Amino acid sequence: ALAHRVIATAACHASVRKGDALAEAEVKALLESLDDTLWFPNCPHGRPILKLFPKAQLEALFGRS
């Protein structure tokens, strides 16, 4: 349990966060690496990192409905 918390905290602190400035090459590298990454819909602490929207709601947000 302690080891998991330590690893989760280290992963969280090393992650890219809202407001972080990234170079275009860094953004491209992150997006390309997604295909090779074991992905989970939550952060190491259990908080969700994904929000699903119904298609109609997305269309309305972008003036497409």
Side-chain angles (χ1 to χ4, degrees):
L2 176 61
H4 182 269
R5 285 197 309 263
V6 169
I7 292 168
T9 298
C12 188
H13 286 279
S15 67
V16 175
R17 296 184 179 160
K18 178 182 175 185
D20 287 351
L22 298 176
E24 184 178 339
E26 291 173 301
V27 173
K28 284 178 123 177
L30 281 173
L31 293 173
E32 289 171 358
S33 71
L34 285 175
D35 290 335
D36 299 324
T37 302
L38 181 59
W39 187 83
F40 296 97
N42 56 317
C43 79
H45 294 102
R47 292 183 293 267
I49 60 169
L50 173 73
K51 174 68 175 157
L52 297 177
F53 292 93
K55 182 179 178 185
Q57 187 176 357
L58 281 176
E59 289 174 340
L61 286 170
F62 291 94
R64 298 286 184 183
S65 57

